[in-house]
Amino acid sequence: EKGGWSSFMAKEVSEQPDAVANTLRGRIAGAAVVVPELTAFGDDALRDIRRIVIVACGTASYAGQVGKYAIEKWTRIPVDVELSHEFRYRDPVLTADTLVISISQSGETMDTLMAVKYARDAGAKAISICNTQGATIPRESDAVIYTHAGPEVAVASTKAFVAQITALYLFALHLARVRGSLSEAEQAEQVVELQGIPAKIATTLLQESTVHELANWMSDTRAVLFLGRHVGFPIALEGALKLKELAYIHAEGFAAGELKHGPIALIEPGQPVFVVVPSPRGSAHLHPKVVSNIQEIRARGARIIAIAEEGDVAVLPFADTVIRIPLASPLFEPLLAVVPLQIFAMELATAKGLDVDQPRNLAKSVTVE
Ligand code: M6R
């Protein structure tokens, strides 16, 4: 079933262009997003939403964090992202105009299922984003947007993650259309950008050899840090999680702006730091701030691995390695930037002789609390 790949994870990483394309399929009508499942949920119900709470665990929660930026930007509805297991034990405020969106690849994660049940009992509506047809969480929800990424066998989530983010963009654009919060021209622009993403992921996959060398070189590294900002922050968290679960290396993701508030004390000569660099065009206000973070930690001896847009020359004087991603509008960059981080964790685990598909102590689906 691995079809010539060394692991299911390698196969699933390579399938990411298709995963995104399959999530988009049947949900774009001309220049606008029309998700049939949301049409069935009802335009009035969508117009009534005053607040959104996203519940998920692990990688799915990082997809939720990326989705928050898009939903808030395009719909102006406030979004909170909560870990499912924290959510229901603190007596959260839930009203009939709160929409709870659960995200789960398996659709069987017990903590997320219980969060959905709790929310519906409290009178909130629940939509699930799920990759597994007919799973329990979608059955317990008012509507489901399936990601159609195909079966994900490796314990580490990869193609489901990019599909979840894609589904959240579709949700946000559908909602924006129904509520009139985005002009037709803006909607059309996002649709074109989104349709271009699968090809850009395919281009990003070609960076594999750079990442492979890096992983071999770093096979006895004891700790790795990941920095990001804006939508790059959840990608830093995801990069760190992948490295922990696959290569058993201590890894931490930080918001770049937090550096000065503590984490910079960790920097010592030779410390590897991955930095997800925002686009100098699309995020002109954030790009120089992240470059200056890079300078600060470089001056303290950090070894910088920058994930930066093609043509971004500002990073060159300070980065030891630059991994290039194609140009994309800022909200869509996570779908590209995460790819080298997945490959890095996978290659490093392989270099250490570890089982990439079945890391120790982990299950694909966590069906107990
Ligand atoms: O099936 P789910 O999406 O609900 O699973 C959620 C997490 O358990 C999952 O994403 C986990 O963090 C993965 N091992 C990450 O690679």
Side-chain angles (χ1 to χ4, degrees):
E1 283 179 72
K2 281 188 250 176
W5 294 94
S6 55
S7 62
F8 280 105
M9 185 180 175
K11 175 173 179 273
E12 289 159 9
V13 163
S14 79
E15 287 170 346
Q16 293 184 106
D18 288 339
V20 171
N22 290 338
T23 303
L24 294 176
R25 185 160 301 122
R27 289 162 173 169
I28 291 172
V33 169
V34 181
V35 180
E37 298 88 336
L38 293 177
T39 306
F41 182 74
D43 285 2
D44 285 343
L46 291 174
R47 277 190 211 100
D48 287 346
I49 299 167
R50 293 285 166 273
R51 182 175 161 238
I52 293 173
V53 179
I54 297 178
V55 293
C57 302
T59 290
S61 79
Y62 301 144
Q65 289 193 32
V66 173
K68 171 187 165 92
Y69 288 86
I71 299 169
E72 289 193 339
K73 180 156 178 71
W74 294 332
T75 72
R76 310 311 297 156
I77 299 172
V79 181
D80 293 312
V81 185
E82 306 244 9
L83 294 168
S84 313
H85 34 88
E86 288 295 318
F87 173 68
R88 75 192 170 102
Y89 289 107
R90 59 166 179 72
D91 199 6
V93 179
L94 284 166
T95 49
D97 55 13
T98 303
L99 175 72
V100 170
I101 302 179
S102 66
I103 309 173
S104 176
Q105 187 288 130
S106 61
E108 302 295 345
T109 298
M110 182 59 79
D111 286 315
T112 303
L113 172 64
M114 297 313 277
V116 169
K117 284 189 171 172
Y118 180 96
R120 288 185 83 204
D121 287 348
K125 289 265 189 301
I127 291 180
S128 95
I129 292 178
C130 181
N131 195 44
T132 310
Q133 296 282 332
T136 310
I137 294 172
R139 281 194 274 115
E140 293 289 339
S141 303
D142 296 289
V144 51
I145 304 176
Y146 282 112
T147 39
H148 301 305
E152 194 180 64
V153 177
V155 164
S157 188
T158 55
K159 65 176 180 175
F161 178 68
V162 292
Q164 286 158 353
I165 293 174
T166 305
L168 287 160
Y169 292 149
L170 290 172
F171 168 82
L173 289 169
H174 181 106
L175 198 59
R177 182 179 51 72
V178 168
R179 297 170 69 104
S181 54
L182 212 56
S183 73
E184 278 180 26
E186 284 168 319
Q187 169 104 201
E189 202 181 306
Q190 302 307 328
V191 166
V192 170
E193 282 278 339
L194 209 41
Q195 286 172 318
I197 292 295
K200 290 179 184 178
I201 297 179
T203 304
T204 309
L205 286 166
L206 300 175
Q207 294 284 332
E208 196 177 345
S209 57
T210 313
V211 182
H212 178 80
E213 278 170 36
L214 195 63
N216 277 342
W217 174 85
M218 281 170 65
S219 61
D220 51 6
T221 297
R222 297 178 58 83
V224 181
L225 305 180
F226 294 79
L227 292 181
R229 203 170 169 138
H230 192 256
V231 283
F233 171 39
I235 296 307
L237 297 175
E238 171 63 2
L241 178 61
K242 282 286 154 294
L243 200 57
K244 287 177 217 178
E245 62 179 348
L246 291 170
Y248 318 151
I249 290 176
H250 188 80
E252 288 298 329
F254 299 108
E258 274 293 292
L259 257 186
K260 291 187 189 62
H261 302 283
I264 198 165
L266 290 169
I267 305 296
E268 56 187 19
Q271 171 64 53
V273 184
F274 280 77
V275 185
V276 180
V277 184
S279 159
R281 299 161 309 112
S283 304
H285 51 311
L286 292 180
H287 178 266
K289 296 186 199 296
V290 173
V291 171
S292 110
N293 291 143
I294 291 177
Q295 283 174 269
E296 280 161 2
I297 53 176
R298 185 80 189 300
R300 289 162 176 81
R303 190 191 148 93
I304 309 289
I305 304 114
I307 298 172
E309 189 178 88
E310 276 163 16
D312 178 354
V313 290
V315 296
L316 287 175
F318 316 110
D320 297 274
T321 305
V322 181
I323 300 168
R324 292 295 182 187
I325 58 173
L327 276 58
S329 69
L331 283 170
F332 299 141
E333 280 168 18
L335 294 170
L336 310 177
V338 74
V339 174
L341 301 183
Q342 297 165 336
I343 299 175
F344 175 71
M346 183 173 70
E347 296 275 347
L348 196 46
T350 306
K352 289 179 75 172
L354 300 172
D355 183 341
V356 170
D357 288 335
Q358 278 293 340
R360 69 185 177 199
N361 310 340
L362 292 173
K364 179 62 182 162
S365 170
V366 184
T367 53
V368 289
E369 277 194 73

